């Protein structure tokens, strides 16, 4: 909250400064300062090492987000753009805005993330209406400062620019992580072999777990971060000193490779299961030589779990777009002949004594429901918000669903503790409730109980569905909501994905807990009106 308040004040102050300077918001910003070709050439030479590291990390990042309109730029400590890379679409848009190598981002061109990051020495994001100029309000810009050795002096900035439709809350954390990676690589390239330099630069850092061994793999130094990451005893650091790093299953093999082959292992991604969840780390193992004699091996471990989650979010978005395209194509091809078949059977009616008439109509209706799910996935309906009471919508759904519950020997218990108005799309909320109830019913093949409660939690209306059915193991629970992922023989894997999408479009969230043999609980949270 403090960070958000600080950002609001920073943006507000910057815009006020623009007004005082007489900058017109309806005119495209003009870059008043730009390096000459010769000046840019000199600056590029000065930053050659930094740019080499920048290109390495940015190329890896862009390759993992191919197809997304991201532009990543690096500037010097005065805000002059030295280089940028990215998708051709966003580069073309940047060119139209006058952004090119050599221009300077300063506060004279209006509110921008680079100038503010340099001024305040911290990561800054300027998104949509945060911009002063109208032409920039469709953009999202995030900048993180790059600090030099010792972390006391800013040597440049790393920035990410994209269209606002592609912005998400993790962009600032992502560019900060990328800037940290650049800083780390620069430090590693310039590190001194002296032991006290290792202590100052590596062991005292707040970001890395560090373990230092001698040439034979015996641990000679480590910091508290590595103890936490490896889940060693934080209070007894001494018992790990002089032990063999080869006994540490997560990292030991990489130290052995350095000794055997004499080459560093840089940027190795590792996964470690911690208390039922997977944590991701990036490992660097670097040999230290004194006159070509190996004297130390330094391993640094960094937690990149949040970055991996961001990458997974981007991949899921791409998968969803593709799934939508396939869904529309399939649904259109099937719905027309299905409608014809259903209509002809209805026209003949029960009087025709068609064998298994009710069963055929029931199965056709189920097919129609499946196709409707595909249609929603491919082409979402227009949301029409209105002020509604959750209890009213719930009662309407239960009046229909109760028949199915009775037929399956399922008892539904509903209680309203606190009920308030929420702004929602009535039809979409009915679909959410119906999808959750269907899942609960399918988890109770031999009958059971579904408990529903309405209450308030914080600023949200909470609707909680709990069944005493089969439950789910952790590996199935983790993938709930992925398109086409299902454990049902006749399922399509779209039900919970649609629930997640609808609730997200309402500004809410879905929490699911489950235990095998005990049942599942699904809680949806909707912002109160």
């Amino acid at each position: 909250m403090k960070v958000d308040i600080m950002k609001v004040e920073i943006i507000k102050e910057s815009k006020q400064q623009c007004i005082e300077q007489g900058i017109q918001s309806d005119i495209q910003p003009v870059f008043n300062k730009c390096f000459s070709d010769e000046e840019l050439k000199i600056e590029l030479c000065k930053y050659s090492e930094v740019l080499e590291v920048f290109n390495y990390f940015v190329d890896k990042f862009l390759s993992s987000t191919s197809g997304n309109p991201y532009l990543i730029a690096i500037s010097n400590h005065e805000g002059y753009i030295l280089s940028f890379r990215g998708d051709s679409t966003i580069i073309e848009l940047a060119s139209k805005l006058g952004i090119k190598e050599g221009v300077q981002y300063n506060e004279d061109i209006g509110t921008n993330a680079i100038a503010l990051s340099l001024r305040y020495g911290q990561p800054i994001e300027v998104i949509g209406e945060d911009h002063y100029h109208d032409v920039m309000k469709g953009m999202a810009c995030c900048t993180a400062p790059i600090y030099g050795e010792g972390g006391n002096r800013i040597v440049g900035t790393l920035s990410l620019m994209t269209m606002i439709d592609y912005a998400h809350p993790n962009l600032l954390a992502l560019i900060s992580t990328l800037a940290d990676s650049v800083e780390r690589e620069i430090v590693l390239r310039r590190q001194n072999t002296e032991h006290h330099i290792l202590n100052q630069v590596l062991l005292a850092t707040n970001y890395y777990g560090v373990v230092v061994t001698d040439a034979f793999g015996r641990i000679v130094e480590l910091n508290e971060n590595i103890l936490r990451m490896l889940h060693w005893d934080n209070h007894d650091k001494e018992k790990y000193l002089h032990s063999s790093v080869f006994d540490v299953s997560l990292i030991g093999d990489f130290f052995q490779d350095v000794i055997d082959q004499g080459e560093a292992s840089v940027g190795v991604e590792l996964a470690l299961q911690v208390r039922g969840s997977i944590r991701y780390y990036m490992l660097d193992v670097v040999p230290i030589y004194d006159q070509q004699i190996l004297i130390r091996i330094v391993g640094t471990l960094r937690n990149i779990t949040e970055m991996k989650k961001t990458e997974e979010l981007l991949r899921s978005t791409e998968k969803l777009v593709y799934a939508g395209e396939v869904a529309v194509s399939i649904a259109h091809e099937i719905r027309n002949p299905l409608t014809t078949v259903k209509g002809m059977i209805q026209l003949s009616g029960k009087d025709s004594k068609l064998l298994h008439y009710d069963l055929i109509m029931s199965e056709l209706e189920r097919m129609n429901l499946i196709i409707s799910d595909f249609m929603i996935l491919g082409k979402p309906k227009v949301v029409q918000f209105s002020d509604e009471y959750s209890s009213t919508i719930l009662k309407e759904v239960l009046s229909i669903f109760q028949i199915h519950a009775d037929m399956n020997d399922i008892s539904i218990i509903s209680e309203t503790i606190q009920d308030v108005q929420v702004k929602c799309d009535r039809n979409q909320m009915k679909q959410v409730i119906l999808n959750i109830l269907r899942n609960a019913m399918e988890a109770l093949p031999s009958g059971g109980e579904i408990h529903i409660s309405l209450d308030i939690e914080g600023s949200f209306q909470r609707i909680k569905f709990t069944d005493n059915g089969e439950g789910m193991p952790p590996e199935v629970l983790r993938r709930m909501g992925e398109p086409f992922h299902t454990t049902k023989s006749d399922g399509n894997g779209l039900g919970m994905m649609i629930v997640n999408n609808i609730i997200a479009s309402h500004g809410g969230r879905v929490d699911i807990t489950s235990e095998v043999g005990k049942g599942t609980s699904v809680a949806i949270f909707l912002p109160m009106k």
Side-chain angles (χ1 to χ4, degrees):
M1 183 63 70
K2 290 183 179 179
V3 174
D4 291 340
I5 294 173
M6 185 182 297
K7 175 197 168 182
V8 170
E9 293 300 319
I10 288 173
I11 298 296
K12 181 179 179 181
E13 180 181 345
S14 176
K15 286 187 175 181
Q16 181 61 37
Q17 183 176 325
C18 293
I19 295 172
E20 293 172 359
Q21 290 176 334
I23 300 174
Q24 294 180 279
S25 62
D26 57 348
I27 297 178
Q28 180 171 311
V30 178
F31 295 90
N32 297 319
K33 293 185 178 181
C34 181
F35 279 143
S36 66
D37 291 344
E38 187 61 28
E39 289 172 334
L40 180 58
K41 184 178 179 180
I42 294 172
E43 200 70 3
L44 290 174
C45 183
K46 187 189 303 182
Y47 277 78
S48 59
E49 184 180 24
V50 177
L51 289 169
E52 184 180 342
V53 176
F54 165 79
N55 292 336
Y56 172 77
F57 282 103
V58 169
D59 285 346
K60 287 189 68 176
F61 170 76
L62 292 175
S63 66
S64 68
T65 59
S66 177
N68 291 292
Y70 292 151
L71 179 147
I72 300 183
I74 187 170
S75 81
N76 69 0
H77 67 287
E78 295 179 326
Y80 284 93
I81 300 297
L82 302 179
S83 177
F84 55 78
R85 291 169 177 249
D87 181 80
S88 58
T89 303
I90 195 71
I91 288 179
E92 182 180 349
L93 178 58
S95 177
K96 291 179 181 179
L97 294 172
I99 302 171
K100 63 178 183 178
E101 293 175 346
V103 299
Q104 185 190 33
Y105 268 87
N106 54 40
E107 296 188 46
D108 293 335
I109 66 165
T111 303
N112 66 87
I114 293 178
L116 293 175
S117 182
L118 288 171
R119 178 179 177 183
Y120 292 98
Q122 66 182 44
I124 293 289
E125 60 181 359
V126 180
I127 299 177
E129 293 296 323
D130 292 342
H131 289 94
Y132 180 79
H133 289 93
D134 297 338
V135 71
M136 295 297 296
K137 290 182 179 179
M139 309 301 294
C141 305
C142 302
T143 298
I146 300 173
Y147 283 86
E149 256 182 297
N152 298 318
R153 181 175 61 89
I154 295 177
V155 297
T157 68
L158 203 60
S159 302
L160 185 150
M161 184 174 80
T162 187
M163 289 172 279
I164 196 169
D165 290 342
Y166 290 84
H168 56 79
N170 293 321
L171 280 183
L172 186 62
L174 192 62
I175 200 66
S176 298
T177 299
L178 206 56
D180 288 343
S181 298
V182 171
E183 290 177 14
R184 176 190 61 187
E185 184 65 13
I186 293 171
V187 168
L188 288 175
R189 290 187 179 203
R190 297 175 179 176
Q191 70 177 198
N192 194 296
T193 58
E194 294 295 327
H195 188 66
H196 73 278
I197 295 295
L198 285 173
N199 285 335
Q200 292 176 22
V201 177
L202 293 172
L203 297 176
T205 181
N206 293 322
Y207 304 105
Y208 308 109
V210 181
V211 57
V212 183
T213 76
D214 61 17
F216 305 100
R218 289 188 294 266
I219 297 174
V220 296
E221 189 59 87
L222 68 165
N223 66 359
E224 292 185 0
N225 286 339
I226 197 72
L227 295 175
R228 286 193 293 269
M229 290 177 179
L230 297 177
H231 294 276
W232 286 350
D233 186 354
N234 288 349
H235 303 291
D236 196 2
K237 172 181 173 181
E238 295 299 321
K239 77 177 183 181
Y240 302 108
L241 293 175
H242 310 299
S243 64
S244 175
V245 75
F246 307 134
D247 296 332
V248 185
S249 58
L250 186 67
I251 62 176
D253 290 344
F254 298 97
F255 280 79
Q256 185 69 65
D257 290 343
V258 170
I259 293 175
D260 294 342
Q261 303 171 19
E263 296 181 358
S265 294
V266 178
V268 178
E269 291 188 8
L270 304 173
L272 178 65
Q273 188 162 1
V274 180
R275 298 185 184 95
S277 62
I278 301 296
R279 300 279 179 86
Y280 295 94
Y281 298 95
M282 182 170 288
L283 173 68
D284 293 340
V285 182
V286 181
I288 304 297
Y289 295 96
D290 184 9
Q291 297 181 358
Q292 299 184 339
I293 298 175
L294 180 66
I295 59 171
R296 290 287 187 270
I297 305 171
V298 179
T300 60
L301 202 62
R302 181 180 180 85
N303 192 329
I304 59 168
T305 304
E306 290 303 316
M307 187 177 77
K308 294 293 289 186
K309 287 181 179 178
T310 302
E311 291 176 355
E312 184 62 31
L313 177 64
L314 294 174
R315 284 194 292 270
S316 296
T317 301
E318 292 173 358
K319 185 191 294 184
L320 186 57
V321 171
Y322 176 72
E325 294 172 353
V326 173
V328 171
S329 176
I330 294 174
H332 277 300
E333 292 297 324
I334 296 176
R335 172 160 278 182
N336 290 336
L338 179 63
T339 302
T340 302
V341 172
K342 184 178 178 182
M344 293 301 292
I345 293 175
Q346 285 177 322
L347 186 62
S348 67
K350 290 188 177 182
D351 295 337
S352 65
K353 298 182 179 180
L354 178 65
L355 192 61
H356 305 306
Y357 175 87
D358 290 335
L359 177 60
I360 292 172
M361 292 303 297
S362 174
E363 290 301 295
L364 286 173
E365 185 60 32
R366 192 162 67 88
M367 289 173 64
N368 194 48
L369 285 173
I370 293 172
I371 290 173
S372 297
D373 284 346
F374 274 92
M375 293 295 290
I376 291 170
L377 174 64
K379 189 176 181 180
K381 296 178 181 178
V382 177
V383 180
Q384 296 179 342
F385 287 104
S386 59
D387 296 336
E388 304 283 354
Y389 281 98
S390 301
S391 60
T392 303
I393 299 174
L394 181 61
K395 287 176 183 176
E396 291 179 8
V397 176
L398 289 179
S399 66
I400 300 171
F401 188 79
Q402 188 66 54
I403 299 173
H404 299 282
D406 292 340
M407 291 174 61
N408 289 274
D409 197 25
I410 295 173
S411 173
I412 298 179
I413 302 171
S414 178
E415 65 170 338
T416 301
I417 301 171
Q418 286 184 288
D419 184 24
V420 295
Q421 277 192 327
V422 296
K423 190 174 285 295
C424 69
D425 182 295
R426 188 183 190 86
N427 290 328
Q428 287 198 347
M429 285 309 303
K430 285 183 179 180
Q431 183 175 8
V432 164
I433 294 171
L434 194 56
N435 282 3
I436 295 173
L437 287 173
R438 281 178 188 163
N439 284 347
M441 184 174 71
E442 290 167 356
L444 298 165
S446 303
E449 184 178 288
I450 300 174
H451 185 272
I452 307 170
S453 66
L454 273 73
D455 201 354
I456 292 175
E457 187 171 311
S459 59
F460 292 88
Q461 170 80 79
R462 187 193 71 191
I463 312 175
K464 189 174 183 180
F465 304 80
T466 303
D467 67 66
N468 61 346
E470 300 170 341
M472 294 176 286
E475 59 271 16
V476 173
L477 185 61
R478 277 196 299 271
R479 299 191 65 187
M480 280 287 287
E482 289 187 15
F484 307 123
H485 172 70
T486 180
T487 58
K488 305 168 191 172
S489 59
D490 59 349
N492 56 42
L494 300 178
M496 283 309 299
M497 191 208 68
I498 291 170
V499 168
N500 288 337
N501 287 354
I502 291 174
I503 297 301
S505 71
H506 284 65
R509 72 178 193 275
V510 180
D511 288 346
I512 306 175
T513 58
S514 187
E515 188 173 346
V516 175
K518 292 189 176 180
T520 299
S521 177
V522 179
I524 59 176
F525 296 83
L526 295 169
M528 293 190 300
K529 178 175 174 294

